[in-house]
Amino acid sequence: MMKIRSIRGMNDLLPDQSPLWQYLEETVQGLLARYGYREIRFPVLEQTELFKRSIGEVTDIVEKEMYTFLDRNGESLTLRPEGTAGCVRACEQGGLLNQAQRLWYRGPMFRYERPQKGRLRQFHQFGAEVFGLEGPDVDAEMLVMTHRLWQELGLASHVHLEINSLGTADDRARYRAALVSWLRERSDRLDEDSRRRLDSNPLRILDSKHPDTQALLADAPRLSQHLGDESVEHFRRLRALLDAAGVDYQVNERLVRGLDYYGKTVFEWVTGSLGAQGTVCAGGRYDGLVEQLGGKPTPAVGFGLGIERLVLLLDAAQAVPDSIARQVDAYLVGVGDVQAAVFTTAERLRTLCPVLRLQTHCGGGSFKSQMKKADRSAAALALIVGEDEAAAGTVTVKDLRGERPQQTLPVDEAAALINNTNP
Ligand code: ATP
Ligand code: MG
């Protein structure tokens, strides 16, 4: 019979990989908490309309990347391709938006893309969203916070920051008119996708990957020349705050982002180490979205951080901490007819050493074969309960990696030793 395989672009996370993910998740969550962000959870499945109305009908995501299907009632549902829309929906529904909120979430997102390194069909994001604050102070805070994240992960020299201002909706409308009339005169030089977008979503042409279109755009009218005073001032103050905080950045006027809801500040943290999948964290301001989804006008800013790409980058940058390889700190073996003592000793140690990762050998076997397993577990310590230890209420502590002499101690004293040496 043919074996059933996972769906293309949807990966399992095997236990050898999960410690690195946990390290990353704990680091990010810890950092978000230190900036006053609170966790929000919402479903992976939403009404299709939510994503159409927020991300925009004429975007890659909505046009060709969504997992959309009819449920048994004939209702159109979509697996979330990103988190912002669902987060806004949940906040609005939960009555959270009458005051400022700093929120985060994490979980799987789904996009029907061509799978490759750093690009999957089920991928995972951390998202952070702030509601009710106009910025640019909070825009800057987000960038300072992500900057700190790279430092804590040892990635600071592997990523750089690109920022741009997309202006207000009015600014963009003025610019769109100027861009479209300029491009229309040269539409024979546009690639097919871009020509189609001339009518539907001309700003997206700016981030076309097509080389001819790219070349043509070098001389096109610039969005920065069409920004109104409010946008110019917002962007100026953002840059001043980043300068003051010592966060380096490049202004990239081509940065437009693939989702329609963004305005004013947009940003991407980019690495050169992952080829075309170089954006590890991306976001911006979306002051119009809450209202667009039926809520009161509410300023908002947020970002998404791709966990798979960060894992790849940690590897590429050789920034994976050594401690991650080890599954357990101590491995307890029993020699002779000592099963009951093995259990009471292990449980006593778990009570007294609350952070110790202690694995008890199960399944019997000779002392030698048990010690082999202890060694293979990469534990720092072997803890041995033989018949003498069982009778005396002691345990033998053997240092598997260092030079410390073997010691037989009452269990409580062994616990104190373990806590002091922090294996
Ligand atoms: P890209 O330009 O690489 O397609 P995007 O602009 O579509 O990215 P966003 O929607 O801004 O990406 O999502 C935020 C982050 O999520 C990205 O910067 C990236 O790190 C990650 N990401 C997006 N799509 C994928 C995917 N298909 N597989 C893995 N990670 C992804
Ligand atoms: Mg994309």
Side-chain angles (χ1 to χ4, degrees), residues 3 6 15 26 100 128 140 155 160 164 189 191 249 259-260 265 282 308 333 346 351 384 403 407:
K3 278 205 188 131
S6 65
E26 281 161 19
L155 297 175
H160 70 270
N164 191 19
R189 291 169 62 192
D191 64 278
Y249 56 84
L259 303 87
D260 278 354
T265 310
E308 282 83 357
V333 309
T351 301
I384 304 157
E403 307 284 293
Q407 275 179 282

Side-chain angles (χ1 to χ4, degrees), residues 376-416:
R376 232 179 284 148
S377 78
L381 298 175
L383 304 173
I384 304 157
V385 177
E387 281 170 358
D388 290 349
E389 284 92 344
T394 57
V395 60
T396 297
V397 181
K398 183 176 164 59
D399 190 354
L400 291 175
R401 318 284 154 198
E403 307 284 293
R404 265 173 284 143
Q406 180 170 317
Q407 275 179 282
T408 301
L409 298 167
V411 175
D412 287 19
E413 280 176 37

Side-chain angles (χ1 to χ4, degrees), residues 61 65 111 113 119:
I61 294 180
E65 295 176 359
R111 296 185 193 175
E113 299 197 70
R119 192 174 296 285

Side-chain angles (χ1 to χ4, degrees), residues 2-8 10 12:
M2 228 195 17
K3 278 205 188 131
I4 297 174
R5 313 261 315 163
S6 65
I7 295 168
R8 196 161 114 84
M10 301 202 180
D12 303 311

Side-chain angles (χ1 to χ4, degrees), residues 189-207:
R189 291 169 62 192
L190 284 176
D191 64 278
E192 202 188 306
D193 249 358
S194 297
R195 212 172 302 142
R196 195 170 48 86
R197 292 211 152 116
L198 214 41
D199 294 311
S200 54
N201 196 349
L203 291 194
R204 292 283 292 142
I205 297 174
L206 293 184
D207 106 313

Side-chain angles (χ1 to χ4, degrees), residues 10 48 56-57 71 75 77 115 123 161 184 197 200 203 213 295 325 346:
M10 301 202 180
T48 303
E57 299 261 7
D71 75 357
E75 194 180 355
L77 304 182
F123 63 100
L161 175 61
R184 238 185 245 303
R197 292 211 152 116
S200 54
L203 291 194
T213 302

Side-chain angles (χ1 to χ4, degrees), residues 167-178:
T168 62
D170 285 346
D171 300 340
R172 285 194 299 284
R174 275 199 314 275
Y175 174 60
R176 194 176 300 126

